[in-house]
Every structure is written in C-alpha cells, then in structure tokens.
Amino acid sequence: MAIVTAPKKACAVNPLKVSQPIGGAFAFLGLRGAMPILHGSQGCTSFGLTLFVRHFKEAVPLQTTAMSEVTTVLGGYENVEQSILNIYNRTKPEIIGICSTGVTETNGDDVNAYIKLLRDRHPQLAKFPLVYVSTPDFKDAFQDGWEKTVARMVEVLVEAPAVETERDPAQVNVLPGCHLTPGDLDELRTILEDFGLKPSFLPDLAGSLDGHIPDEFTPTTIGGIGVDEVVSMGRAGWTIAIGAQMRRAAENMQAKAGVPFRLFERLCGLIPNDQFIAFLSEISERPIPSKYRRQRGQLADAMLDAHFHIAGRRLAIGAEPDLLFDVSSMLHEMGAQVTAAVTTTQSPVLERVKTNEVLIGDLEDLEELAKARACDLLITHSHGRQAAARLNIPFYRAGFPMFDRIGAGHQLSVGYRGTRDLIFDIANLIIADREENHQPTPDTWRSPTPACRSGRHSFIDATERSIA
C-alpha cells in the first residue's frame, strides 16, 4: 500500500495541477448548446481558455463575469445578472453553467441566491437551465472540479421517473471521468452499442470536442448530450461510472432516480476490461461478440511482445489521481517499477498505486524524484517536456494539457484496443531511445583495459578474456 504524502513546500514551483474551476468548465463543455461561465476576473477565464484551445486545437466557448477589484468587494450580483442576460439574448444557449473562482469564493458570493433573484426579476429565465457549482481554485484540482460539476448536473437536471414508469433495460448511463478523452468515449460507445445497449454519456466530450467541423458556426458547444437527454437519464436500467471520481455522481443518480450503478475504477489493462466486457454481457443478456475475443488476444500478444522492453523500467509519472492509478497500474502489470509518483489532489485510489509513496506536489518534485531514483521513463502532461529533456529520458505525454502535439483528443487508452495501442506507443518510445542514445558502437564493444588499445592481438586477447 502506497503512503500518500502531503506537500511541504510553501508554493508550487513548476505546477502539475490545473485549477478546479477549469475542471468544472470542462465538464460543461460536454453538454450540447452550453456556455460555461467562470464567476471571477477576466484573467482566470483567459488562462483556462488558452489551455483548452491549445489542447484541442478548436474554438472553445468560455465566458466570464469580469469581476474587478471593486465588484469583488461589493458583491457580484450585477455582474452575474448582466453576463447571463447577455449570453441568453445573444448566443441562445440551451444551458448556462457557472463555476466560481477564488476571488468570488473568498468574498462569499451566494450565487445560488443570485440565480433565484435573477429568475424572479426576469421571467424568461424562470425555467431556463442554470447550473452553479462551487469550485474555488485555492484548493483541490482539475479532477475535483469535474467531479463536483457532474454530480451537480445530476442533482439539478435529472428527473426522477414516476413510480409507474417502466425502465428501459437497454438504456445505460455512462459517467466518464475527466481522464478519458473524446477518443476514449467513442470507443466506449462502440463497445456498448455492440452489446445492443443505448448509452448516454454525461458529459459527452466526444460529441463536442472530437475535432469535427460543423455545418454552421455556433457560439456555444457544437455537440454533446442535450439537456432533454440528461433529464431522461433517470429512466435508464444501469449507470456505469468510470474512475473513482465519478462515485459521487453515480450515487446521486441512484439516490434521485433509483438507477443502480457499477463503478469501474480503471479501463486500461487486461483484467479491468475482462470485468467490463463480462458486465456488459450480463446486463445485455447477450454473448460477447467475437471481435472482442480477438481484440483480447491481440492485447495479450502485445503484452507479451512489449514486456521485453517495458519490464524493469523505472517509471516516473505525474497526473491527476485517476489517470495516475489507471496508467501506472497497467504498466506495473507489464513489469515496470513505479518509483516516482506525484499527483494533484487526494483520492481513495492513491493508496492502491503500486509504489511506496505518492506525493501530492508539482513537477519540480517529480523531476527531483525521477533524478534521485534514476527513472528511465517520464509520463505527465506537456509541461513536463523540459524535465524530460534535462533528465534525458523518454517522455510520454498523457493528461491535460497536451499542447505541443496534435491529436490529444483522440488519444486512446480504454478497452482492449486502447490498452494495446498505449503499450505499443510506450514500448516504441523506449526502443527509439535505446537506438538513439544507447546503440552499441565499436568503442563500446572494446574492453576498457589498456591492453585492447595496444594492437590487434592484444584486443583479441582482451576480448577472449572478457568472454571467459
């Protein structure tokens, strides 16, 4: 069992974590026709917008209440009111999601009271979906913001079905963690549909941030799950939650609508996918399609081929808790040694990471640990590229943000196929590094003794002695 260590530094020197309100806004981007708002200063929103645009290489809708020093002290109702009215009248969204920031939380703005007053003053907003989430950025991290926002969506938007309403056993709610990409969600949708199930993803980033070009420009999100679909999620037969962070949302769904849930803490690896596929076969009452039996065989063969290159490697990884647990567990099963693990926030899965210690820290801590423990593979988001260069070790980009490569939204790590591709990518990094930096040369073949430099016969004699 890993020991989880709290940070001891007074500040983050090279931050690993992304703030909680950015995680909350990210969740709102999975709703169709949504406009997320950060209740805070313009700088907070600009920073988050920059990360989203650089990561996805797409136009991302994100607005702000533009709080100044004066309005922060006096209260932000007027800014909230004006922002919501402007967005409602100009962009015609289907839903507006509001995330707080540090400055407004410190002042103690009661945004839920603001929304009630706003509905009273403006009847056109009486039934319009407005969802507020408390996400102060002076605590917690990206994963926490996502977790709180999805749980709040369930509380506000999902309707409990009437007692006489029959549930649709084929309808399945899927609550994905923030560590899953749009490509992961597309893969999960395909798997579920192959079992005859009808999945509803909340949030559905695969519909809004998968990189497609819409027929017409829209100032809000261009896809995702609609509010009407979220309302009807209470009639589903099952809820599948992916990642420990989604337990709260699944419990809210069960408490409000009576939908039973199954939590899968990870879907990267052979055994977790065996359990996932078996569960789908059970609830759909269908046999496992032959394509997944073949994909399982391909994954097993990939693990056999790649373990020669991955086994024994000392791994340094820095990521949000669920991503850290997911990827490090799979690589541990491949024989890698997780010798340096740094994360952003507390989570129940951290104690089960296969390492001695998990540090809640920053990229400076990760670099120091990787250097002290002679790691030879680094996994984190794009801000870790300088550390990997200084350490002169292979660097695999994972998580958010990933701004110095394209295709981040289509990176795949779930299912048999996603796990197989991830194993190949990491093994190929290690192979390429060995070929580039550790390729044998005539100089490295020679014995280091002086005798091997005195002539041909001495070299042969020294070689024979080294072999003997």
Short mmCIF file of all heavy atoms in Angstrom, two decimals, residues 146-191:
data_model
loop_
_atom_site.label_atom_id
_atom_site.label_comp_id
_atom_site.label_asym_id
_atom_site.label_seq_id
_atom_site.Cartn_x
_atom_site.Cartn_y
_atom_site.Cartn_z
N TRP A 146 -14.27 18.72 -12.02
CA TRP A 146 -15.08 17.85 -12.90
C TRP A 146 -16.05 17.02 -12.06
O TRP A 146 -17.25 16.94 -12.36
CB TRP A 146 -14.15 16.95 -13.70
CG TRP A 146 -14.81 15.92 -14.55
CD1 TRP A 146 -15.36 14.74 -14.13
CD2 TRP A 146 -15.02 15.95 -15.98
NE1 TRP A 146 -15.87 14.03 -15.19
CE2 TRP A 146 -15.67 14.76 -16.34
CE3 TRP A 146 -14.68 16.87 -16.96
CZ2 TRP A 146 -16.00 14.45 -17.65
CZ3 TRP A 146 -15.02 16.57 -18.28
CH2 TRP A 146 -15.66 15.39 -18.62
N GLU A 147 -15.54 16.41 -10.99
CA GLU A 147 -16.36 15.55 -10.13
C GLU A 147 -17.55 16.31 -9.55
O GLU A 147 -18.69 15.85 -9.61
CB GLU A 147 -15.49 15.00 -9.00
CG GLU A 147 -16.25 14.23 -7.94
CD GLU A 147 -15.36 13.87 -6.75
OE1 GLU A 147 -14.16 14.17 -6.78
OE2 GLU A 147 -15.90 13.28 -5.79
N LYS A 148 -17.30 17.50 -9.01
CA LYS A 148 -18.38 18.28 -8.40
C LYS A 148 -19.41 18.74 -9.44
O LYS A 148 -20.61 18.75 -9.18
CB LYS A 148 -17.80 19.51 -7.69
CG LYS A 148 -16.94 19.18 -6.49
CD LYS A 148 -16.34 20.45 -5.91
CE LYS A 148 -15.42 20.15 -4.74
NZ LYS A 148 -14.79 21.38 -4.19
N THR A 149 -18.93 19.09 -10.63
CA THR A 149 -19.82 19.60 -11.66
C THR A 149 -20.75 18.52 -12.19
O THR A 149 -21.96 18.74 -12.35
CB THR A 149 -19.01 20.22 -12.81
OG1 THR A 149 -18.20 21.28 -12.29
CG2 THR A 149 -19.91 20.78 -13.88
N VAL A 150 -20.23 17.33 -12.45
CA VAL A 150 -21.08 16.25 -12.94
C VAL A 150 -22.10 15.85 -11.88
O VAL A 150 -23.28 15.61 -12.17
CB VAL A 150 -20.24 15.04 -13.39
CG1 VAL A 150 -21.13 13.92 -13.90
CG2 VAL A 150 -19.24 15.45 -14.48
N ALA A 151 -21.65 15.79 -10.62
CA ALA A 151 -22.58 15.46 -9.54
C ALA A 151 -23.68 16.52 -9.43
O ALA A 151 -24.85 16.19 -9.20
CB ALA A 151 -21.82 15.36 -8.21
N ARG A 152 -23.32 17.77 -9.63
CA ARG A 152 -24.30 18.85 -9.57
C ARG A 152 -25.27 18.79 -10.76
O ARG A 152 -26.47 19.04 -10.61
CB ARG A 152 -23.57 20.20 -9.56
CG ARG A 152 -24.47 21.41 -9.43
CD ARG A 152 -25.22 21.42 -8.13
NE ARG A 152 -26.02 22.64 -7.98
CZ ARG A 152 -27.05 22.77 -7.16
NH1 ARG A 152 -27.40 21.75 -6.37
NH2 ARG A 152 -27.72 23.90 -7.09
N MET A 153 -24.77 18.44 -11.93
CA MET A 153 -25.65 18.27 -13.09
C MET A 153 -26.72 17.23 -12.81
O MET A 153 -27.90 17.41 -13.14
CB MET A 153 -24.83 17.82 -14.31
CG MET A 153 -23.94 18.86 -14.93
SD MET A 153 -23.03 18.08 -16.30
CE MET A 153 -21.86 19.37 -16.71
N VAL A 154 -26.32 16.12 -12.20
CA VAL A 154 -27.28 15.06 -11.88
C VAL A 154 -28.32 15.59 -10.90
O VAL A 154 -29.53 15.36 -11.06
CB VAL A 154 -26.55 13.83 -11.31
CG1 VAL A 154 -27.55 12.79 -10.82
CG2 VAL A 154 -25.63 13.22 -12.36
N GLU A 155 -27.88 16.33 -9.88
CA GLU A 155 -28.80 16.86 -8.87
C GLU A 155 -29.83 17.81 -9.49
O GLU A 155 -31.01 17.76 -9.15
CB GLU A 155 -28.02 17.61 -7.79
CG GLU A 155 -27.17 16.73 -6.90
CD GLU A 155 -26.37 17.55 -5.91
OE1 GLU A 155 -26.47 18.80 -5.95
OE2 GLU A 155 -25.65 16.96 -5.09
N VAL A 156 -29.39 18.67 -10.40
CA VAL A 156 -30.24 19.74 -10.91
C VAL A 156 -31.07 19.30 -12.11
O VAL A 156 -32.25 19.66 -12.23
CB VAL A 156 -29.39 20.98 -11.27
CG1 VAL A 156 -30.24 22.06 -11.91
CG2 VAL A 156 -28.69 21.52 -10.04
N LEU A 157 -30.48 18.53 -13.02
CA LEU A 157 -31.10 18.29 -14.32
C LEU A 157 -31.87 16.97 -14.42
O LEU A 157 -32.90 16.90 -15.11
CB LEU A 157 -30.04 18.33 -15.42
CG LEU A 157 -29.26 19.65 -15.56
CD1 LEU A 157 -28.20 19.52 -16.64
CD2 LEU A 157 -30.21 20.81 -15.90
N VAL A 158 -31.39 15.92 -13.79
CA VAL A 158 -32.03 14.61 -13.94
C VAL A 158 -33.37 14.59 -13.20
O VAL A 158 -33.47 15.05 -12.06
CB VAL A 158 -31.12 13.48 -13.41
CG1 VAL A 158 -31.83 12.13 -13.45
CG2 VAL A 158 -29.84 13.42 -14.23
N GLU A 159 -34.40 14.07 -13.84
CA GLU A 159 -35.72 13.96 -13.22
C GLU A 159 -35.96 12.53 -12.75
O GLU A 159 -35.65 11.57 -13.45
CB GLU A 159 -36.82 14.35 -14.21
CG GLU A 159 -36.89 15.83 -14.50
CD GLU A 159 -38.10 16.18 -15.37
OE1 GLU A 159 -38.82 15.24 -15.79
OE2 GLU A 159 -38.30 17.38 -15.63
N ALA A 160 -36.52 12.42 -11.55
CA ALA A 160 -36.88 11.10 -11.05
C ALA A 160 -38.11 10.61 -11.78
O ALA A 160 -39.10 11.34 -11.90
CB ALA A 160 -37.15 11.17 -9.55
N PRO A 161 -38.09 9.40 -12.31
CA PRO A 161 -39.25 8.89 -13.05
C PRO A 161 -40.43 8.62 -12.12
O PRO A 161 -40.24 8.35 -10.93
CB PRO A 161 -38.73 7.60 -13.69
CG PRO A 161 -37.63 7.15 -12.77
CD PRO A 161 -37.01 8.40 -12.23
N ALA A 162 -41.61 8.70 -12.67
CA ALA A 162 -42.80 8.36 -11.89
C ALA A 162 -42.77 6.88 -11.50
O ALA A 162 -42.10 6.06 -12.15
CB ALA A 162 -44.06 8.66 -12.70
N VAL A 163 -43.48 6.56 -10.44
CA VAL A 163 -43.44 5.19 -9.91
C VAL A 163 -43.88 4.17 -10.96
O VAL A 163 -43.32 3.08 -11.07
CB VAL A 163 -44.34 5.09 -8.65
CG1 VAL A 163 -44.37 3.65 -8.14
CG2 VAL A 163 -43.85 6.04 -7.58
N GLU A 164 -44.88 4.54 -11.76
CA GLU A 164 -45.42 3.59 -12.74
C GLU A 164 -44.59 3.52 -14.02
O GLU A 164 -44.86 2.70 -14.90
CB GLU A 164 -46.86 3.96 -13.10
CG GLU A 164 -47.03 5.31 -13.80
CD GLU A 164 -47.09 6.48 -12.84
OE1 GLU A 164 -46.87 6.26 -11.62
OE2 GLU A 164 -47.36 7.61 -13.30
N THR A 165 -43.57 4.37 -14.14
CA THR A 165 -42.75 4.40 -15.36
C THR A 165 -41.87 3.16 -15.43
O THR A 165 -41.16 2.83 -14.46
CB THR A 165 -41.87 5.67 -15.41
OG1 THR A 165 -42.72 6.81 -15.34
CG2 THR A 165 -41.08 5.71 -16.70
N GLU A 166 -41.88 2.50 -16.56
CA GLU A 166 -41.00 1.34 -16.76
C GLU A 166 -39.62 1.80 -17.22
O GLU A 166 -39.51 2.68 -18.06
CB GLU A 166 -41.60 0.39 -17.80
CG GLU A 166 -42.83 -0.34 -17.34
CD GLU A 166 -43.25 -1.42 -18.32
OE1 GLU A 166 -42.45 -1.71 -19.25
OE2 GLU A 166 -44.35 -1.97 -18.17
N ARG A 167 -38.63 1.18 -16.66
CA ARG A 167 -37.27 1.48 -17.07
C ARG A 167 -36.93 0.77 -18.37
O ARG A 167 -37.45 -0.31 -18.65
CB ARG A 167 -36.28 1.07 -15.98
CG ARG A 167 -36.45 1.82 -14.67
CD ARG A 167 -35.29 1.55 -13.73
NE ARG A 167 -35.51 2.25 -12.47
CZ ARG A 167 -35.20 3.52 -12.27
NH1 ARG A 167 -34.65 4.21 -13.26
NH2 ARG A 167 -35.40 4.09 -11.10
N ASP A 168 -36.05 1.38 -19.13
CA ASP A 168 -35.58 0.77 -20.37
C ASP A 168 -34.28 0.03 -20.05
O ASP A 168 -33.24 0.66 -19.82
CB ASP A 168 -35.33 1.86 -21.42
CG ASP A 168 -34.90 1.28 -22.76
OD1 ASP A 168 -34.74 0.04 -22.85
OD2 ASP A 168 -34.72 2.07 -23.71
N PRO A 169 -34.30 -1.30 -20.02
CA PRO A 169 -33.09 -2.05 -19.65
C PRO A 169 -31.94 -1.85 -20.63
O PRO A 169 -30.78 -2.08 -20.27
CB PRO A 169 -33.56 -3.50 -19.63
CG PRO A 169 -34.77 -3.53 -20.50
CD PRO A 169 -35.43 -2.19 -20.34
N ALA A 170 -32.24 -1.43 -21.86
CA ALA A 170 -31.17 -1.22 -22.83
C ALA A 170 -30.51 0.15 -22.69
O ALA A 170 -29.42 0.36 -23.20
CB ALA A 170 -31.71 -1.38 -24.25
N GLN A 171 -31.18 1.07 -21.99
CA GLN A 171 -30.60 2.40 -21.81
C GLN A 171 -29.61 2.37 -20.66
O GLN A 171 -29.92 1.93 -19.55
CB GLN A 171 -31.69 3.44 -21.52
CG GLN A 171 -31.14 4.86 -21.37
CD GLN A 171 -32.23 5.88 -21.07
OE1 GLN A 171 -33.42 5.60 -21.24
NE2 GLN A 171 -31.83 7.06 -20.62
N VAL A 172 -28.40 2.84 -20.92
CA VAL A 172 -27.32 2.82 -19.93
C VAL A 172 -26.72 4.22 -19.82
O VAL A 172 -26.35 4.82 -20.83
CB VAL A 172 -26.22 1.81 -20.32
CG1 VAL A 172 -25.07 1.86 -19.33
CG2 VAL A 172 -26.80 0.39 -20.38
N ASN A 173 -26.64 4.72 -18.59
CA ASN A 173 -25.95 5.97 -18.34
C ASN A 173 -24.46 5.70 -18.17
O ASN A 173 -24.09 4.75 -17.48
CB ASN A 173 -26.48 6.65 -17.08
CG ASN A 173 -27.97 6.90 -17.12
OD1 ASN A 173 -28.52 7.18 -18.18
ND2 ASN A 173 -28.63 6.82 -15.97
N VAL A 174 -23.64 6.53 -18.77
CA VAL A 174 -22.19 6.42 -18.61
C VAL A 174 -21.67 7.74 -18.06
O VAL A 174 -21.88 8.80 -18.67
CB VAL A 174 -21.48 6.09 -19.94
CG1 VAL A 174 -19.98 5.91 -19.71
CG2 VAL A 174 -22.07 4.84 -20.58
N LEU A 175 -21.02 7.68 -16.91
CA LEU A 175 -20.44 8.86 -16.27
C LEU A 175 -18.93 8.73 -16.35
O LEU A 175 -18.30 8.07 -15.52
CB LEU A 175 -20.90 8.95 -14.81
CG LEU A 175 -22.42 8.94 -14.58
CD1 LEU A 175 -22.72 8.96 -13.08
CD2 LEU A 175 -23.09 10.10 -15.28
N PRO A 176 -18.30 9.33 -17.37
CA PRO A 176 -16.84 9.18 -17.56
C PRO A 176 -16.06 10.20 -16.74
O PRO A 176 -16.48 11.35 -16.58
CB PRO A 176 -16.68 9.44 -19.06
CG PRO A 176 -17.77 10.41 -19.38
CD PRO A 176 -18.93 10.08 -18.47
N GLY A 177 -14.90 9.78 -16.25
CA GLY A 177 -14.01 10.70 -15.55
C GLY A 177 -13.32 11.64 -16.50
O GLY A 177 -13.28 11.42 -17.72
N CYS A 178 -12.71 12.70 -15.95
CA CYS A 178 -12.06 13.71 -16.79
C CYS A 178 -10.79 13.19 -17.43
O CYS A 178 -10.23 13.84 -18.33
CB CYS A 178 -11.75 14.97 -15.97
SG CYS A 178 -10.58 14.70 -14.61
N HIS A 179 -10.29 12.02 -17.00
CA HIS A 179 -9.07 11.47 -17.57
C HIS A 179 -9.33 10.76 -18.89
O HIS A 179 -8.37 10.36 -19.57
CB HIS A 179 -8.41 10.50 -16.59
CG HIS A 179 -9.27 9.32 -16.22
ND1 HIS A 179 -10.48 9.44 -15.59
CD2 HIS A 179 -9.09 7.99 -16.39
CE1 HIS A 179 -11.00 8.25 -15.38
NE2 HIS A 179 -10.18 7.35 -15.87
N LEU A 180 -10.60 10.60 -19.27
CA LEU A 180 -10.93 9.96 -20.54
C LEU A 180 -11.05 11.01 -21.64
O LEU A 180 -11.62 12.08 -21.44
CB LEU A 180 -12.24 9.18 -20.42
CG LEU A 180 -12.28 8.08 -19.37
CD1 LEU A 180 -13.60 7.31 -19.45
CD2 LEU A 180 -11.11 7.12 -19.53
N THR A 181 -10.52 10.69 -22.80
CA THR A 181 -10.53 11.61 -23.94
C THR A 181 -11.79 11.41 -24.78
O THR A 181 -12.48 10.39 -24.62
CB THR A 181 -9.31 11.38 -24.83
OG1 THR A 181 -9.43 10.08 -25.46
CG2 THR A 181 -8.01 11.42 -24.03
N PRO A 182 -12.09 12.34 -25.70
CA PRO A 182 -13.19 12.08 -26.65
C PRO A 182 -13.00 10.78 -27.42
O PRO A 182 -13.98 10.07 -27.70
CB PRO A 182 -13.13 13.31 -27.58
CG PRO A 182 -12.60 14.40 -26.70
CD PRO A 182 -11.60 13.72 -25.81
N GLY A 183 -11.76 10.44 -27.75
CA GLY A 183 -11.50 9.17 -28.42
C GLY A 183 -11.86 7.99 -27.55
O GLY A 183 -12.40 6.97 -28.05
N ASP A 184 -11.59 8.08 -26.25
CA ASP A 184 -11.99 7.01 -25.32
C ASP A 184 -13.50 6.85 -25.29
O ASP A 184 -14.02 5.73 -25.27
CB ASP A 184 -11.48 7.33 -23.91
CG ASP A 184 -9.97 7.19 -23.77
OD1 ASP A 184 -9.39 6.34 -24.47
OD2 ASP A 184 -9.38 7.92 -22.96
N LEU A 185 -14.22 7.97 -25.28
CA LEU A 185 -15.68 7.90 -25.22
C LEU A 185 -16.26 7.29 -26.49
O LEU A 185 -17.23 6.53 -26.44
CB LEU A 185 -16.28 9.29 -24.99
CG LEU A 185 -15.83 10.04 -23.72
CD1 LEU A 185 -16.74 11.23 -23.46
CD2 LEU A 185 -15.81 9.13 -22.51
N ASP A 186 -15.66 7.61 -27.64
CA ASP A 186 -16.10 6.99 -28.89
C ASP A 186 -15.91 5.48 -28.84
O ASP A 186 -16.76 4.71 -29.30
CB ASP A 186 -15.34 7.58 -30.07
CG ASP A 186 -15.92 8.89 -30.56
OD1 ASP A 186 -17.14 9.12 -30.35
OD2 ASP A 186 -15.18 9.70 -31.14
N GLU A 187 -14.77 5.04 -28.30
CA GLU A 187 -14.50 3.61 -28.19
C GLU A 187 -15.52 2.94 -27.26
O GLU A 187 -16.04 1.86 -27.57
CB GLU A 187 -13.08 3.39 -27.67
CG GLU A 187 -12.67 1.93 -27.54
CD GLU A 187 -12.39 1.25 -28.87
OE1 GLU A 187 -12.46 1.93 -29.92
OE2 GLU A 187 -12.11 0.04 -28.87
N LEU A 188 -15.81 3.57 -26.13
CA LEU A 188 -16.78 3.01 -25.19
C LEU A 188 -18.17 2.95 -25.80
O LEU A 188 -18.91 1.98 -25.59
CB LEU A 188 -16.80 3.84 -23.91
CG LEU A 188 -15.55 3.75 -23.03
CD1 LEU A 188 -15.62 4.76 -21.89
CD2 LEU A 188 -15.39 2.34 -22.47
N ARG A 189 -18.52 3.98 -26.56
CA ARG A 189 -19.84 3.99 -27.21
C ARG A 189 -19.97 2.81 -28.18
O ARG A 189 -20.99 2.12 -28.23
CB ARG A 189 -20.05 5.31 -27.95
CG ARG A 189 -21.49 5.50 -28.46
CD ARG A 189 -21.59 6.71 -29.37
NE ARG A 189 -20.98 7.89 -28.81
CZ ARG A 189 -21.58 8.69 -27.93
NH1 ARG A 189 -22.81 8.43 -27.54
NH2 ARG A 189 -20.95 9.76 -27.46
N THR A 190 -18.91 2.56 -28.95
CA THR A 190 -18.93 1.44 -29.89
C THR A 190 -19.08 0.12 -29.17
O THR A 190 -19.86 -0.75 -29.58
CB THR A 190 -17.64 1.44 -30.73
OG1 THR A 190 -17.55 2.67 -31.47
CG2 THR A 190 -17.61 0.27 -31.70
N ILE A 191 -18.35 -0.05 -28.08
CA ILE A 191 -18.42 -1.30 -27.32
C ILE A 191 -19.83 -1.52 -26.77
O ILE A 191 -20.42 -2.61 -26.89
CB ILE A 191 -17.39 -1.29 -26.17
CG1 ILE A 191 -15.96 -1.29 -26.73
CG2 ILE A 191 -17.59 -2.50 -25.26
CD1 ILE A 191 -14.89 -1.10 -25.68
#
